[in-house]
Amino acid sequence: MHSDTPASYGPKNSEMRNTMHYEIHGLTSPNAPTIVLSSGLGGAAKFWQPQLADFTQDYRVITYDQYGTNKSVGELPANYSISDMADELAALLKKLEVQVCHFVGHALGGLVGLQLSLSKPDLLQSLVLVNAWSSPNPHTLRCFDIRKALLAANRKDMYLQLQALLLYPPDWIAANARHLEEEEAHLLNHFPNVDNLLARIAALSAFDIDGELPEIKTPTLAVANKDDTLVPWQRSQTLADAMPNAVLSVMEYGGHASSITVPSAFNKLVLEYLQRLRQRA
């Protein structure tokens, strides 16, 4: 099931309105335990397709297109921030009458979860942060500088090829070459608004809450991949060390997008963590 809902835009743009596309899968009762899935830079609900069959067995699952991406059409303002993204999601969940939820965020989506845990701590029963971070690091910023340079040169084709290199392990790319070529051809014909993409890159590049991590009491699983090309796995170690109720799980294989490359192992890891929380409750 899916629908659209108006949501308030954010504290700096309170008079603006946007339409957030969302989808609800699995259990339909509003009282069912709920997982909210938040994607990375691409912002697309469909990123989580490999999780739906497993997650919907025991949960109501909400996915959404982040504002300015895919079906959530709109132009992002100057100085757009992760705080704006968190406010937009909080407004959507309020519209859907979600009182509490488990939150799973990948990369930028994890940053949204961290910000929500600071601004709306009562909303989150748990956090799963997948290859996320709490402050900029030189390696990841270099990767995004190259992305920005390709966009400036209007090399969208090369941007998409680089994207695959940053997301997936080399052997997975080799084994899925034809699929990636078809996907990249489709994405090239449906390339996102470049100004919005640059605004989102600027927002994640500026995000820095290192000093606030000890304040986050939400039970948290930080998932990292040792073969992540984009984000050093030690960034997840930083989260687990600084957050009082966080634990770290490091996967040996999967790249930056292990939810796609090794979905069975990823799904098992997340669901077992959520099950342990339910047993403690």
Side-chain angles (χ1 to χ4, degrees):
M1 181 175 71
H2 66 88
S3 182
D4 298 310
T5 186
S8 111
Y9 191 78
K12 297 178 183 177
N13 304 279
S14 58
E15 296 180 359
M16 300 182 67
R17 307 294 288 177
N18 68 71
T19 299
M20 297 281 281
H21 172 82
Y22 66 89
E23 301 174 3
I24 301 177
H25 307 268
L27 304 181
T28 57
S29 169
N31 297 319
T34 299
I35 298 176
V36 175
L37 302 175
S38 186
S39 304
L41 180 61
K46 64 182 180 181
F47 175 83
W48 299 103
Q49 193 65 36
Q51 281 60 64
L52 295 182
D54 288 340
F55 285 16
T56 53
Q57 296 298 312
D58 296 304
Y59 295 92
R60 177 176 63 159
V61 178
I62 298 174
T63 61
Y64 70 107
D65 288 346
Q66 295 168 11
Y67 184 55
T69 73
N70 302 285
K71 296 179 182 179
S72 295
V73 180
E75 294 184 6
L76 302 181
N79 301 316
Y80 189 63
S81 69
I82 299 296
S83 291
D84 290 323
M85 298 182 204
D87 288 342
E88 291 157 6
L89 177 56
L92 171 62
L93 296 178
K94 182 177 181 180
K95 181 72 176 182
L96 297 178
E97 299 182 345
V98 174
Q99 302 297 317
V100 292
C101 64
H102 301 284
F103 183 96
V104 181
H106 174 253
L108 177 148
L111 277 52
V112 173
L114 284 166
Q115 186 62 51
L116 269 180
S117 68
L118 290 168
S119 61
K120 303 283 185 182
D122 293 339
L123 179 61
L124 301 185
Q125 290 172 286
S126 72
L127 273 173
V128 178
L129 306 172
V130 186
N131 294 321
W133 60 91
S134 54
S135 63
N137 77 85
H139 171 78
T140 304
L141 292 178
R142 277 182 177 234
C143 294
F144 281 110
D145 283 344
I146 296 171
R147 281 177 155 179
K148 290 187 289 185
L150 290 172
L151 292 174
N154 198 30
R155 291 307 307 266
K156 297 175 182 176
D157 55 338
M158 290 295 99
Y159 179 96
L160 293 171
Q161 289 197 37
L162 174 64
Q163 178 169 276
L165 294 176
L166 296 177
L167 285 176
Y168 311 123
D171 63 322
W172 194 91
I173 291 175
N176 293 272
R178 179 170 295 182
H179 167 73
L180 285 174
E181 289 173 2
E182 293 172 353
E183 183 179 70
E184 288 165 2
H186 173 78
L187 292 173
L188 189 59
N189 289 326
H190 300 84
F191 202 82
N193 178 293
V194 171
D195 289 337
N196 282 357
L197 187 52
L198 290 171
R200 288 168 60 76
I201 291 174
L204 66 83
S205 299
F207 184 73
D208 188 344
I209 60 161
D210 274 352
E212 298 170 84
L213 289 177
E215 301 173 20
I216 299 175
K217 305 299 194 297
T218 306
T220 299
L221 172 65
V223 179
N225 288 83
K226 280 220 174 156
D227 60 347
D228 187 345
T229 304
L230 179 60
V231 181
W233 70 268
Q234 292 88 348
R235 303 305 298 164
S236 293
Q237 180 74 66
T238 298
L239 298 174
D241 287 346
M243 297 165 65
N245 295 313
V247 295
L248 174 67
S249 181
V250 180
M251 302 177 70
E252 292 293 326
Y253 178 83
H256 187 61
S258 52
S259 58
I260 292 175
T261 57
V262 286
S264 295
F266 176 87
N267 295 354
K268 183 174 184 289
L269 179 65
V270 173
L271 291 173
E272 286 182 348
Y273 174 73
L274 296 181
Q275 180 62 28
R276 291 196 297 272
L277 293 182
R278 293 177 73 174
Q279 290 171 349
R280 293 177 198 166

